[in-house]
Amino acid sequence: MTVSVIEQAKIQAQVLVPLVKALQAELGAARANAIVRNALGDLYRGFGEEFWKAKNEADLGKAVSSAFRTYARDDALAYDVIEQTPDAFAFNVKRCAYAEFYKALGEPELGFLLVCTADFATAEGFGPDVRLARTQTIMQGADHCDFRYRRDSGGAP
């Protein structure tokens, strides 16, 4: 049986939340958060690279749509697709169980650090020509998350 990403996030939070809070108390929030972002960034970039190689899909819209369905599994996310083309995948998340979970813990800032910042590192793993833009998240109090993946025509093929 495969554990969904939302369930993995809940399991990981049991260890990561107290660990990050201890690091913040010892090093200060800015330094601790930078260390966590860096460490998790490397991990998530690797996940993005592995996914991209395994997918072997030139169509960015199809590939990112497929990856996103993995994160949405088990009713973790409700979203509307705005655009899906070979060079773009844009969507708005309307409901996020990850944000609901971290808000129930009283730790939405840590949820943003541990979950939401992973999106950019994962996108970097998709290749040097893939860009993610996002201006807001539910985790930070917005009514939706606005994901915009695009292929940068100036990047490597």
Side-chain angles (χ1 to χ4, degrees):
M1 180 175 164
T2 304
V3 178
S4 68
V5 178
I6 183 66
E7 289 305 314
Q8 290 176 37
K10 290 177 179 180
I11 293 165
Q12 292 166 348
Q14 294 176 38
V15 173
L16 292 177
V17 167
L19 178 62
V20 172
K21 288 175 94 170
L23 286 170
Q24 289 174 336
E26 185 69 26
L27 304 172
R31 179 75 179 122
N33 292 354
I35 291 168
V36 170
R37 260 191 307 278
N38 187 46
L40 293 179
D42 291 343
L43 177 70
Y44 287 111
R45 248 183 311 287
F47 288 162
E49 289 168 2
E50 289 173 22
F51 170 81
W52 201 258
K53 287 176 189 168
K55 254 322 178 193
N56 195 25
E57 173 64 66
D59 185 316
L60 180 67
K62 284 183 187 176
V64 176
S65 173
S66 172
F68 198 73
R69 281 193 302 273
T70 301
Y71 290 96
R73 211 174 99 213
D74 287 355
D75 198 34
L77 302 167
Y79 61 98
D80 292 325
V81 175
I82 307 299
E83 177 186 16
Q84 183 172 345
T85 70
D87 292 318
F89 187 63
F91 58 96
N92 290 335
V93 173
K94 303 180 298 184
R95 189 190 59 74
C96 175
Y98 301 91
E100 292 163 3
F101 171 73
Y102 274 96
K103 285 179 182 176
L105 286 180
E107 300 291 350
E109 301 84 13
L110 291 184
F112 181 79
L113 175 67
L114 298 171
V115 176
C116 302
T117 59
D119 298 327
F120 288 93
T122 302
E124 289 172 12
F126 290 166
D129 63 336
V130 177
R131 302 285 177 262
L132 168 60
R134 187 184 62 214
T135 64
Q136 61 186 30
T137 66
I138 294 170
M139 193 80 77
Q140 293 180 302
D143 66 348
H144 71 281
C145 307
D146 58 342
F147 287 81
R148 304 296 184 262
Y149 290 86
R150 298 237 177 261
R151 180 167 280 124
D152 179 5
S153 58

